[in-house]
């Protein structure tokens, strides 16, 4: 028997309320407007809360993303029942699920990192602890935010691998919440280990004097020509984007052709990794071509660490059109052979990423309150881009793409015996 | 879709892995880089020569209490908030100047030409007008400005600590020629005309009446034989854009660089000089703020800088101000030729050039 794990997101049947592409445009514009409003209220340096200091707000944005992935992909919306998911009005459901999402973010940042791990284990994971140790409260918050957001960044690369590539294997047969907790614990354990290898050495050099007894020397220095963990941020972001491209644009093709687990998962994991590293190397080369080779010790456009970071930023921008195409335009086209469909989608995504890149750097200063220029030491285009993505995820995962789409009626739903089996 | 056999799959994996490996190796290979990336240019622009340059630090203490300044920034919403929107603390600061946390940055430059004649100009004009007045008086700048000895004022960038004390210069000579880099915001020009900004406790009571020049980026602006300025398009914290630096070609010594904050990065700057100026491959001296750890903060990128700096063969390094004490300590430890100061007039340490100290190259 094929142990297919029915994710709510895979089984729900969304019906259009209007014709395409009107429906797609209305939904997309709505979600973009919402993103701009949220950015203005919470992040914009001219706005109300001004959390984009920059790391502090960026940390929350990163955690919203991973908490959404946990809710939808790992816990399959547990503890909410399928009945709740099917019958509640999308807006009510959205508000409830977003509240839970923000609760998870608050718990992770304020309780788990600030009050437990930061206090009992690694001080740089807690802003209040760093402040108590004598650091200025501003940089205490910035440093700890960077560390905490990196946990989320690594998790958003690793966590989806289990549901997407491994189909939660070998825990696919377990019921919720046991399966959710198992996959969550496993991916979070991996995240922590990888964080310790990729980011902890960054903190060897961040503090003065160097913390050589507490953290390894940045092992990437020899070949990356920088001590900064941005080297790892760059390729990890390419990894995150690759896994989501596999899910959204490639619809798990070609790995879905492999029927056996864990073979499919392992192939998927390494396939994603290779794809990510090629993407990373390509973006690095493109920057070398546009601006000339990076110079060790330089700042701004020529800083090696910024180049790596920017490769991650470029990767991140790919995800926006990929997501828009999938969420709002039904992943057009679907009528050809999978490989042709994918090739056409990739072409559309590449072209629109280029346009987005141009528009972002041209219009973000007046619209987002950021400063002009590509390389700014305190500016991370991934923050607004991921917030935009977060709002799209909220819209799709938590609100069934309301108002452009609606869930098919419950009766139709019950006709599918596999879902009924899952529900019992 | 058909089922794949294990053999097909392994074959696919092998092909995929090999293609991936070569794709990655290919894009990051030297052959690829050599084909697509143009080689570094050698500088050809001739700015002439001067005999020597003397740089006097009028004030390098931009603010007196660092945690307090950071608290102001944090409360306002972080490092990207517009500097004109931040209510900087200006009362009750024990270490401050008469309770005000604001100090400022200003440097007097004297160039000796090959014929022996000497010419003076001012780089930046501080922040707190009262503090800057005091510093100007201490070094006799009030008289030099009034009698026209100081030819012009060049502003490195629009930052509060370099530009907001403009009244201190204008009160002695309202018609002094002023040079600013491209990137000034409207508020900066308003201030010059005599505007007031109560929110950030800023005003200028003496409108500027002399010539004002905005220097474009992307070219070398010659000032006098052996002296030029270069403007860089750089976005800077607290919503500032653009910075200009001074470059000197000193006979028999090489290039000297004097910066305000050096937000473009000293290595990026030296690379630019190397590829632009004739003789740019020999950088003899650097003086000014290097914007590395201005708030005694850190980033591993700054270690990259300290570790790479010795490749450039700088013989005299007169850093201060936003270079930061941590950076200075690391530079000294790395055997870089950091020139010591005397820790006078509210400069806290003698690890680098402080208020009233000078260096000649
Ligand atoms: Fe400065
Ligand atoms: Fe500055």
């Amino acid at each position: 028997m094929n142990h297919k794990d029915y994710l709510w997101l895979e089984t729900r049947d969304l019906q259009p309320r209007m014709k395409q592409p009107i429906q797609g445009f209305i939904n997309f514009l709505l979600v973009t407007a919402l993103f701009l409003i949220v950015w203005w209220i919470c992040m914009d340096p001219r706005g109300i809360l001004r959390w984009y200091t920059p790391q502090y707000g960026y940390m929350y944005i990163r955690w919203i993303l991973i908490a959404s992935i946990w809710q939808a992909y790992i816990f399959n919306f547990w503890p909410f029942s399928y009945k709740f998911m099917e019958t509640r009005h999308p807006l009510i459901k959205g508000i409830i699920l977003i509240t839970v999402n923000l609760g998870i973010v608050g718990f992770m940042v304020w309780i788990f990192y600030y009050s437990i791990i930061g206090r009992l284990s690694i001080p740089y994971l807690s802003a209040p602890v760093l402040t108590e140790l004598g650091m200025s409260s501003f940089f205490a918050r910035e440093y700890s935010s960077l560390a905490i957001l990196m946990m989320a960044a690594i998790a958003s690369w690793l966590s989806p691998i289990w549901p997407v590539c491994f189909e939660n294997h070998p825990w696919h047969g377990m019921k919720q919440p046991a399966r959710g907790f198992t996959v969550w614990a496993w991916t979070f354990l991996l995240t922590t280990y990888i964080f310790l290898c990729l980011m902890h050495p960054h903190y060897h050099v961040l503090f003065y004097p160097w913390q050589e007894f507490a953290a390894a020397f940045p092992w990437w220095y020899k070949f990356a020509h920088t001590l900064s963990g941005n080297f790892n941020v760059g390729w990890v972001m390419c990894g995150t984007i690759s896994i989501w491209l596999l899910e959204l644009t490639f619809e798990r093709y070609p790995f879905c052709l492999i029927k056996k687990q864990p073979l499919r998962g392992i192939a998927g994991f390494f396939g994603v990794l290779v794809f990510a590293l090629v993407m990373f190397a390509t973006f690095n080369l493109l920057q070398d071509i546009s601006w000339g080779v990076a110079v060790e010790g330089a700042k701004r456009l020529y800083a090696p660490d910024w180049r790596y970071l920017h490769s991650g930023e470029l990767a991140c921008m790919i995800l926006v059109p990929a997501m828009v195409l999938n969420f709002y335009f039904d992943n057009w086209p679907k009528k050809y052979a999978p490989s042709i469909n994918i090739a056409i989608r990739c072409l559309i995504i590449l072209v629109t990423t280029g346009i987005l890149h141009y528009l972002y750097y041209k219009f973000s200063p007046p619209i987002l309150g950021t400063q002009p220029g590509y390389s700014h030491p305190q500016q991370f285009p991934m923050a607004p881009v991921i917030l935009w993505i977060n709002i799209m995820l909220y819209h799709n995962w938590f609100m069934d793409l309301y108002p452009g789409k609606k869930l098919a009626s419950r009766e139709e739903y019950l006709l599918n015996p596999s879902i009924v089996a899952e529900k019992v | 879709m058909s089922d794949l056999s294990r053999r097909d799959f392994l074959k696919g994996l092998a092909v995929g892995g090999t293609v991936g490996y070569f794709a990655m190796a290919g894009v990051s290979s030297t052959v690829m880089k050599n084909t697509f990336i143009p080689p570094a240019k050698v500088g050809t622009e001739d700015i002439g020569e001067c005999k020597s340059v003397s740089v006097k630090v009028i004030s390098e203490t931009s603010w007196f209490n660092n945690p307090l300044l950071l608290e102001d920034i944090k409360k306002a919403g972080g490092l990207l908030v517009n500097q004109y929107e931040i209510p900087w603390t200006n009362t009750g600061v024990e270490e401050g100047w008469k309770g005000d946390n604001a100090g400022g940055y200003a440097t007097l430059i004297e160039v000796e030409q090959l014929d022996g004649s000497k010419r003076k100009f001012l780089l930046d004009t501080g922040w707190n007008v009262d503090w800057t007045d005091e510093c100007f008086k201490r070094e006799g700048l009030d008289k030099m400005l009034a009698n026209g000895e100081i030819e012009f004022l060049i502003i490195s960038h629009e930052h509060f600590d370099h530009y907001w004390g403009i009244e201190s210069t204008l009160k002695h000579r309202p018609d002094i020629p002023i040079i600013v880099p491209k990137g000034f915001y409207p508020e900066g020009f308003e201030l010059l005309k005599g505007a007031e900004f109560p929110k950030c406790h800023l005003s200028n009571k003496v409108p500027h009446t002399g010539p004002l020049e905005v220097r474009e980026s992307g070219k070398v602006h010659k000032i006098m034989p052996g002296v030029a300025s270069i403007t860089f398009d750089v976005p800077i914290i607290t919503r500032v854009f653009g910075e200009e630096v001074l470059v000197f070609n000193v006979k028999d010594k090489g290039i000297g660089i004097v910066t305000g904050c050096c937000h473009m990065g000293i290595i990026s700057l030296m690379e630019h000089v190397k590829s632009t100026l004739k003789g740019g491959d020999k950088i003899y001296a650097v003086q000014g703020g290097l914007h590395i750890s201005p708030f005694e903060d850190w980033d591993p990128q700054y270690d990259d800088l300290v570790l790479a700096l010795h490749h450039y063969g700088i013989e005299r390094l007169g850093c201060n101000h936003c270079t930061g004490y941590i950076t200075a300590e690391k530079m000294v430890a790395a055997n870089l030729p950091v020139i010591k100061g005397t820790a006078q007039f509210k400069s806290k340490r003698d690890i680098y050039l402080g208020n009233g100290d000078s260096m000649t190259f």
Side-chain angles (χ1 to χ4, degrees):
Chain A
M1 188 194 149
N2 180 16
H3 292 282
K4 179 91 178 80
D5 168 36
Y6 289 102
L7 279 178
W8 152 257
L9 292 177
E10 287 177 50
T11 51
R12 75 176 165 175
D13 187 7
L14 288 178
Q15 298 293 337
R17 276 182 214 260
M18 300 156 240
K19 267 202 306 208
Q20 281 291 28
I22 298 170
Q23 177 228 108
F25 279 114
I26 288 179
N27 254 352
F28 173 64
L29 291 178
L30 213 67
V31 127
T32 304
L34 208 63
F35 152 64
L36 293 174
I37 293 168
V38 172
W39 177 266
W40 166 261
I41 294 172
C42 301
M43 300 294 160
D44 194 313
R46 307 160 303 181
I48 297 164
L49 295 172
R50 302 186 183 185
W51 284 345
Y52 188 49
T53 61
Q55 306 280 13
Y56 185 59
Y58 184 24
M59 167 182 70
Y60 287 129
I61 291 172
R62 282 285 194 173
W63 271 94
I64 287 172
L65 174 67
I66 187 60
S68 308
I69 295 172
W70 286 350
Q71 278 174 282
Y73 268 76
I74 306 236
F75 284 94
N76 200 16
F77 297 101
W78 179 87
F80 298 100
S81 66
Y82 270 38
K83 190 170 166 224
F84 168 89
M85 297 299 290
E86 285 158 19
T87 51
R88 285 301 154 97
H89 188 277
L91 289 181
I92 307 279
K93 197 167 81 172
I95 290 169
I96 295 173
L97 290 170
I98 290 170
T99 309
V100 172
N101 179 273
L102 298 179
I104 296 170
V105 173
F107 174 82
M108 291 307 292
V109 171
W110 288 84
I111 311 284
F112 186 71
Y113 287 116
Y114 278 12
S115 308
I116 301 175
I117 302 295
R119 203 159 280 285
L120 305 179
S121 177
I122 302 176
Y124 67 67
L125 287 166
S126 170
V129 173
L130 286 183
T131 313
E132 283 162 30
L133 287 169
M135 189 172 282
S136 69
S137 72
F138 180 71
F139 280 103
R141 204 174 67 176
E142 294 295 289
Y143 287 5
S144 57
S145 297
L146 172 67
I148 296 171
L149 79 85
M150 272 312 293
M151 286 277 188
I154 293 168
S156 59
W157 161 48
L158 290 174
S159 304
I161 288 176
W162 249 263
V164 171
C165 297
F166 287 91
E167 296 172 297
N168 292 322
H169 201 87
W171 305 292
H172 53 284
M174 289 168 89
K175 283 215 161 66
Q176 290 295 11
R179 188 184 68 210
F181 277 109
T182 310
V183 176
W184 175 82
W186 166 242
T187 50
F188 200 53
L189 179 76
L190 277 184
T191 297
T192 309
Y193 283 150
I194 296 213
F195 176 90
L196 289 175
C197 300
L198 300 188
M199 211 52 201
H200 189 57
H202 179 95
Y203 289 85
H204 172 128
V205 285
L206 187 66
F207 297 105
Y208 179 65
W210 281 2
Q211 312 287 300
E212 48 201 29
F213 296 108
F217 185 78
W219 43 266
W220 54 85
Y221 181 62
K222 268 201 212 96
F223 54 90
H225 308 291
T226 178
L227 290 164
S228 170
N230 277 342
F231 169 70
N232 295 315
V233 177
W235 71 261
V236 166
M237 273 321 289
C238 291
T240 310
I241 275 37
S242 301
I243 181 88
W244 286 108
L245 284 181
L246 176 65
E247 173 74 351
L248 298 170
T249 309
F250 288 69
E251 293 173 320
R252 306 189 185 180
Y253 185 86
F255 302 105
C256 60
L257 297 179
I258 307 165
K259 295 295 175 200
K260 272 211 171 66
Q261 285 290 13
L263 207 60
R264 176 169 168 184
I266 293 167
F269 177 84
F270 285 104
V272 162
L273 191 65
V274 169
F275 190 79
L277 292 176
V278 173
M279 188 195 281
F280 184 54
T282 308
F283 283 141
N284 290 340
L285 177 74
L286 280 177
Q287 295 185 70
D288 284 353
I289 294 170
S290 335
W291 294 310
V293 184
V295 181
E296 219 169 312
K299 280 191 183 184
R300 311 299 180 117
L301 283 181
Y302 291 91
D305 74 307
W306 181 79
R307 293 283 180 93
Y308 298 129
L309 182 71
H310 192 54
S311 289
E313 291 165 355
L314 290 167
C316 211
M317 283 194 186
I318 294 181
L319 194 52
V320 173
M323 215 165 242
V324 171
L325 188 64
N326 185 301
F327 290 6
Y328 301 114
F329 298 98
D330 307 316
N331 233 7
W332 187 87
K334 286 199 157 172
K335 55 188 169 201
Y336 311 106
S339 49
I340 310 277
N341 289 339
I342 292 167
I344 296 174
R345 278 177 215 150
C346 285
L347 196 72
I348 296 172
I349 289 168
L350 273 183
V351 172
T352 40
T353 302
I355 297 170
L356 173 67
H357 185 267
Y358 171 79
L359 293 177
Y360 179 86
Y361 285 102
K362 191 153 173 68
F363 295 110
S364 64
I367 295 175
L368 303 177
T370 58
Q371 288 167 52
Y374 288 101
S375 174
H376 186 295
Q378 299 295 342
Q379 220 157 255
F380 305 93
M382 276 193 253
V385 169
I386 295 176
L387 183 64
W388 197 5
I389 288 169
N390 287 343
I391 306 278
M392 285 194 253
L393 293 181
Y394 277 171
H395 186 217
N396 182 358
W397 293 354
F398 297 171
M399 295 194 243
D400 304 318
L401 297 169
Y402 178 86
K405 288 191 176 176
K406 60 168 191 237
L407 273 182
S409 69
R410 196 152 177 257
E411 288 72 43
E412 291 168 48
Y413 221 81
L414 290 170
L415 291 176
N416 187 338
S418 58
I419 299 167
V420 179
E422 172 82 2
K423 280 203 282 189
V424 176
Chain B
M1 273 169 245
S2 65
D3 249 63
L4 267 191
S5 75
R6 180 169 298 204
R7 231 183 90 207
D8 285 341
F9 166 67
L10 288 175
K11 238 188 330 191
L13 194 65
V15 172
T18 318
V19 169
Y21 175 78
F22 281 107
M24 195 167 60
V27 287
S28 44
S29 73
T30 4
V31 181
M32 199 78 155
K33 288 190 174 168
N34 291 345
T35 318
F36 288 108
I37 302 164
K41 276 187 293 177
V42 179
T44 51
E45 182 114 23
D46 191 353
I47 61 165
E49 279 185 324
C50 59
K51 201 165 168 185
S52 74
V53 179
S54 160
V55 186
K56 176 128 207 169
V57 181
I58 306 303
S59 172
E60 58 94 19
T61 41
S62 280
W63 49 86
F64 299 102
N65 182 320
N66 188 50
L68 207 60
L69 185 100
L70 285 170
E71 215 43 50
D72 289 345
I73 291 176
K74 187 182 174 200
K75 268 190 229 146
L79 292 165
L80 296 168
V81 175
N82 178 358
Q83 56 178 352
Y84 293 94
E85 297 280 315
I86 303 177
W88 304 98
T89 303
N90 64 344
T91 51
V93 182
E94 211 177 296
E95 298 157 65
W97 176 252
K98 299 178 184 168
D100 191 338
N101 196 23
Y105 183 87
T107 300
L108 177 68
I109 293 159
E110 189 178 289
V111 181
E112 188 179 0
Q113 300 279 269
L114 291 180
D115 63 8
S117 62
K118 288 185 176 171
R119 297 175 67 176
K120 288 192 184 100
F121 58 93
L122 190 57
L123 171 68
D124 294 338
T125 180
W127 173 7
N128 177 346
V129 173
D130 198 67
W131 163 254
T132 311
D133 284 348
E134 173 76 15
C135 296
F136 279 13
K137 207 162 94 193
R138 184 187 77 221
E139 305 295 344
L141 261 74
D142 46 356
K143 294 197 183 70
M144 290 181 211
L145 279 165
N147 66 22
E149 225 177 292
I150 292 175
E151 291 182 29
F152 59 90
L153 166 68
I154 182 163
I155 300 294
S156 63
H157 62 308
E158 200 185 340
H159 255 159
F160 46 92
D161 51 327
H162 295 254
Y163 177 57
W164 285 7
I166 185 73
E167 190 186 307
S168 294
T169 298
L170 294 177
K171 68 167 61 159
H172 301 295
R173 194 178 160 199
D175 64 344
I176 188 169
I178 296 179
I179 299 164
V180 300
K182 185 196 138 204
F184 257 51
Y185 280 87
E187 291 98 322
F189 292 115
E190 293 295 308
L191 179 69
L192 206 54
K193 289 182 201 148
E196 203 176 326
F197 299 88
K199 195 161 183 189
C200 56
H201 320 300
L202 170 65
S203 66
N204 163 31
K205 293 185 189 71
V206 189
H208 180 227
T209 56
L212 172 69
E213 189 192 335
V214 180
R215 288 210 163 147
E216 289 294 322
S217 54
K219 65 185 260 208
V220 176
H221 301 269
K222 288 172 193 161
I223 294 174
M224 59 183 80
V227 186
S229 79
I230 306 174
T231 302
F232 291 81
D233 280 331
V234 271
I236 307 173
I237 51 170
T238 69
R239 203 216 58 171
V240 168
F241 193 91
E243 176 168 350
E244 59 189 340
V245 299
L246 292 161
V247 286
F248 303 86
N249 186 18
V250 184
K251 192 172 167 30
D252 301 328
K253 283 186 175 153
I255 300 287
I257 292 173
V258 176
T259 66
C261 260
C262 204
H263 288 286
M264 72 295 295
I266 183 64
I267 288 182
S268 302
L269 168 58
M270 289 193 293
E271 288 289 335
H272 184 84
V273 165
K274 239 164 61 174
S275 65
T276 314
L277 296 191
K278 191 179 156 197
D281 51 345
K282 173 61 200 148
I283 292 167
Y284 174 76
V286 171
Q287 200 280 343
L290 299 185
H291 201 90
I292 301 173
S293 56
F295 310 115
E296 302 304 328
D297 56 319
W298 202 251
D299 185 304
Q301 190 193 65
Y302 309 156
D303 281 311
D304 295 347
L305 192 157
V306 174
L307 292 172
L309 212 51
H310 70 262
H311 298 312
Y312 291 83
I314 303 164
E315 291 182 38
R316 307 189 66 215
L317 188 52
C319 59
N320 54 20
H321 168 57
C322 54
T323 308
Y325 289 126
I326 297 180
T327 310
E329 283 177 27
K330 290 194 180 197
M331 283 175 166
V332 171
N335 285 322
L336 288 161
V338 178
I339 301 173
K340 282 184 90 121
T342 54
Q344 295 182 80
F345 314 120
K346 287 181 87 67
S347 275
K348 282 183 188 150
R349 293 176 58 183
D350 67 356
I351 191 162
Y352 50 47
L353 294 176
N355 297 340
D357 296 331
S358 53
M359 98 181 244
T360 303
F361 51 84

